């Protein structure tokens, strides 16, 4: 590797995780190149194939809002000015839990904004930095092995749609943030590294979403609505506000209850939820798009942090490392927390030192995942036909207890505060086991009977 390449970092993927990684790396590396498969529009935010989940409801919990603002000061104000909406959950939502409606309690705010606007806003802010270069329409095909020792010193790539062959970019650090389609395990195999273990829990939830014009004369006091399913009716739906005076509406179904995309079938599914309020809200709203489906909702954690020895000069972040069922809204917050974890390990270090310390940095990045993983997999394993390890007796007891916590949170301000602090990743799940919360929760009948 040439001497000047030691101060060069390459980030694979220009999604949220990749952009934030590039942003923090630019503090310590002279050059940062972000390689992206998709074309990147210069104008208004638009959908791109590399982020297929972007057409469905996304929220940034309060923990993610704080992390993003710390990383990129002023970006939240900019997103609100562009039409993003802060929603207090559940006090500004009409929210039917599996037990009952939330009533008279407060939780935590979240930012509701389209993923396209969020990514475009961040990309413009980050690409304006002199150290950062974004290289669209290029596909990384593999890693360049270090000439000495077990490590990585660059990437192989090719321009999409061009006739030319592969070429290489030398780098002292490579961060893979290529999303759900990442081939990192294959690339590690080419380097002679052991295969990582992947945990997978799939509740077979499906999504179908479309945009509506928000009714201008709407009298309802809520900003958003969430009608959750339960074991008897495993169907749900969400309405959130996004920029352009629009609603983004996502229907949710489990197993055989997959939401359709055909017009009449979609409306019938919306009318079949546990409450008719969501369907009624759409009657005066103007549809702006056809419905689109999404089925890749499995929780998958590829444990790169357990690979020994881990190649120096390589990090894996975002969905390339772990992806969650999107229904819990944790993906974007986790991306911001991982960027913070990386930034915390870079302070005061030179690029060569950072490269040498990537095994420890990978451990720190993976540590961010555990609370969100416990929430998502614990809830998804409730469904009888979930694919993956089944909970044992202790796990079922924990699920019953958490069902009581949620039922109590519907009307108990103390339990609601603790519940939303955990759901938003502001507090660890163990918070819900304190005597103060347990006493209140166990007084509440189990909603599962």
């Amino acid at each position: 590797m040439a001497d000047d390449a030691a101060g060069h970092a390459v980030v694979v993927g220009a999604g949220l995780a990749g952009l934030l990684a590039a942003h923090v790396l630019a503090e310590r590396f002279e050059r940062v190149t972000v390689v992206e498969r998709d074309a990147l529009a210069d104008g208004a935010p638009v959908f791109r194939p590399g982020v297929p989940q972007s057409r469905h409801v996304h929220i940034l919990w309060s923990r993610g809002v704080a992390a993003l603002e710390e990383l990129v000061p002023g970006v939240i104000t900019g997103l609100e000015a562009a039409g993003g909406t802060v929603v207090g959950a559940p006090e500004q939502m009409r929210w039917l839990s599996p037990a009952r409606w939330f009533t008279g309690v407060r939780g935590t705010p979240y930012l509701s904004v389209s993923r396209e606007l969020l990514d475009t806003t961040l990309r413009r802010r980050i690409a304006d930095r002199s150290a950062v270069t974004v290289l669209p329409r290029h596909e990384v095909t593999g890693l360049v092995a270090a000439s000495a020792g077990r490590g990585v010193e660059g990437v192989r790539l090719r321009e999409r749609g061009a006739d030319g062959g592969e070429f290489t970019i030398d780098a002292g650090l490579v961060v893979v943030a290529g999303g759900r389609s990442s081939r990192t395990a294959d690339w590690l195999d080419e380097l002679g590294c052991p295969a990582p273990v992947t945990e997978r829990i799939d509740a077979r939830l499906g999504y179908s979403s479309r945009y509506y014009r928000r009714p201008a004369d709407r009298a309802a006091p809520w900003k958003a609505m969430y009608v959750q399913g339960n074991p008897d009716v495993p169907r749900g739906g969400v309405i959130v506000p996004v920029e352009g005076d629009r609603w983004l509406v996502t229907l949710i179904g489990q197993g055989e209850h997959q939401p359709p995309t055909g017009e009449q079938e979609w409306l019938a599914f919306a009318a079949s939820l546990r409450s008719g309020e969501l369907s009624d809200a759409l009657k005066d709203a103007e549809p702006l798009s056809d419905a689109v489906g999404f089925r890749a909702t499995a929780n998958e954690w590829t444990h790169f942090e357990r690979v020994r020895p881990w190649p120096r000069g390589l990090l894996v972040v975002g969905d390339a490392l772990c992806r969650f069922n999107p229904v819990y809204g944790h993906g974007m917050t986790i991306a911001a927390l991982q960027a913070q974890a990386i930034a915390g390990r870079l302070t005061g270090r030179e690029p060569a030192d950072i490269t040498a310390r990537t095994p420890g940095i990978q451990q720190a990045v993976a540590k961010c995942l555990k609370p969100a993983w416990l929430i998502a997999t614990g809830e998804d394993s409730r469904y009888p036909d979930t694919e993956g390890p089944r909970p044992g007796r202790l796990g079922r007891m924990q699920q019953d207890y958490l069902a009581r916590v949620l039922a109590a949170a519907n009307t108990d301000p103390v339990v609601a505060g603790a519940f939303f602090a955990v759901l938003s990743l502001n507090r660890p799940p163990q918070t819900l086991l304190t005597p103060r919360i347990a006493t209140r929760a166990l007084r509440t009948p189990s909603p599962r009977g």
Side-chain angles (χ1 to χ4, degrees):
M1 178 173 62
D3 290 341
D4 61 344
H8 181 208
V10 170
V11 177
V12 183
L16 185 64
L19 290 170
L20 291 177
H23 181 66
V24 299
L25 292 174
E27 295 294 324
R28 307 305 304 170
F29 285 78
E30 296 177 6
R31 295 183 295 132
V32 179
T33 300
V34 181
V35 182
E36 170 54 48
R37 294 177 72 250
D38 288 342
L40 299 173
D42 293 329
V46 295
F47 169 78
R48 62 184 182 88
V51 192
Q53 68 273 29
S54 71
R55 293 181 290 188
H56 307 273
V57 166
H58 277 67
I59 65 171
L60 187 66
W61 285 111
S62 54
R63 178 75 184 279
V65 168
L68 192 59
E69 185 65 21
E70 178 182 291
L71 292 164
V72 190
V75 70
I76 300 299
T77 301
L79 288 167
E80 289 187 75
T85 302
V86 174
V87 179
E91 62 269 24
Q92 293 179 313
M93 298 183 68
R94 185 72 174 136
W95 187 331
L96 177 62
S97 83
R100 60 182 70 88
W101 292 99
F102 280 95
T103 305
V105 295
R106 297 175 64 86
T108 191
Y110 65 82
L111 177 67
S112 180
V113 64
S114 78
R115 178 63 185 271
E116 291 87 353
L117 176 61
L118 178 58
D119 282 9
T120 300
T121 301
L122 276 176
R123 188 171 70 246
R124 288 171 179 166
R125 283 285 304 270
I126 292 167
D128 279 346
R129 303 188 64 171
S130 59
V132 178
T133 300
V134 179
L135 189 63
R137 294 189 57 79
H138 281 74
E139 181 177 9
V140 172
T141 58
L143 304 171
V144 177
S147 55
R150 189 181 293 273
V152 171
E153 57 182 28
V155 295
R156 301 194 308 272
L157 68 163
R158 61 171 173 248
E159 184 178 0
R160 300 194 70 196
D163 296 332
E166 291 185 341
F167 61 98
T168 63
I169 297 179
D170 292 337
L173 177 65
V174 175
V175 180
V176 179
R180 297 169 180 267
S181 62
S182 170
R183 296 182 54 241
T184 316
D186 295 335
W187 297 343
L188 287 176
D189 181 64
E190 294 172 359
L191 297 179
C193 295
V197 173
T198 298
E199 287 186 78
R200 188 174 192 273
I201 296 180
D202 186 2
R204 297 174 56 225
L205 264 70
Y207 301 88
S208 183
S209 302
R210 66 193 304 190
Y211 288 97
Y212 279 81
R213 179 76 61 198
R214 202 182 317 173
D217 56 351
R218 189 176 64 89
W222 49 265
K223 290 184 178 181
M225 180 183 291
Y226 188 12
V227 176
Q228 289 187 260
N230 64 16
D232 295 326
V233 185
R235 300 180 173 204
V238 190
I239 299 174
V240 296
V242 295
E243 67 279 1
D245 293 321
R246 297 175 297 164
W247 279 342
L248 178 53
V249 185
T250 294
L251 300 182
I252 305 164
Q254 192 273 335
E256 297 179 356
H257 296 260
Q258 299 294 306
T261 56
E263 175 73 14
Q264 295 306 314
E265 296 84 356
W266 196 93
L267 294 173
F269 188 102
S272 73
L273 306 186
R274 292 171 54 222
S275 167
E277 289 194 28
L278 186 143
S279 179
D280 290 342
L282 300 180
K283 290 178 180 178
D284 295 326
E286 175 192 357
L288 297 177
S289 70
D290 294 332
V292 293
F294 186 70
R295 301 290 183 264
T297 62
N299 303 284
E300 289 187 350
W301 185 347
T302 302
H303 288 282
F304 292 111
E305 76 281 359
R306 298 179 184 173
V307 173
R308 299 289 189 277
W310 181 250
R312 60 178 176 79
L314 178 66
L315 294 174
V316 186
V317 301
D319 284 359
L321 171 62
C322 182
R323 43 196 173 269
F324 306 93
N325 184 342
V327 75
Y328 307 104
H330 287 148
M332 297 196 302
T333 294
I334 288 294
L337 296 181
Q338 289 180 338
Q340 284 186 316
I342 294 172
R345 295 298 185 103
L346 302 186
T347 304
R349 303 193 186 282
E350 295 300 317
D353 191 20
I354 295 168
T355 296
R357 293 175 180 268
T358 49
I361 301 174
Q362 187 66 54
Q363 296 283 330
V365 167
K367 188 176 180 180
C368 300
L369 304 171
K370 195 64 178 288
W373 180 260
L374 290 174
I375 293 170
T377 59
E379 288 300 303
D380 281 4
S381 63
R382 291 181 185 275
Y383 298 99
D385 55 351
T386 291
E387 299 173 6
R390 305 304 302 165
R393 184 171 180 271
L394 177 60
R396 292 192 298 273
M397 291 175 62
Q398 291 172 333
Q399 288 178 341
D400 181 72
Y401 173 72
L402 291 174
R404 292 174 185 268
V405 169
L406 176 56
N410 293 159
T411 55
D412 186 320
V414 173
V415 181
F419 172 77
F420 280 99
V422 170
L423 184 60
S424 60
L425 305 182
N426 282 292
R427 295 287 184 272
Q430 297 90 324
T431 301
L432 300 178
L433 300 175
T434 62
R436 187 184 190 207
I437 302 303
T439 300
R440 293 169 177 266
L442 294 175
R443 288 201 302 255
T444 303
S446 172
R448 296 192 290 172

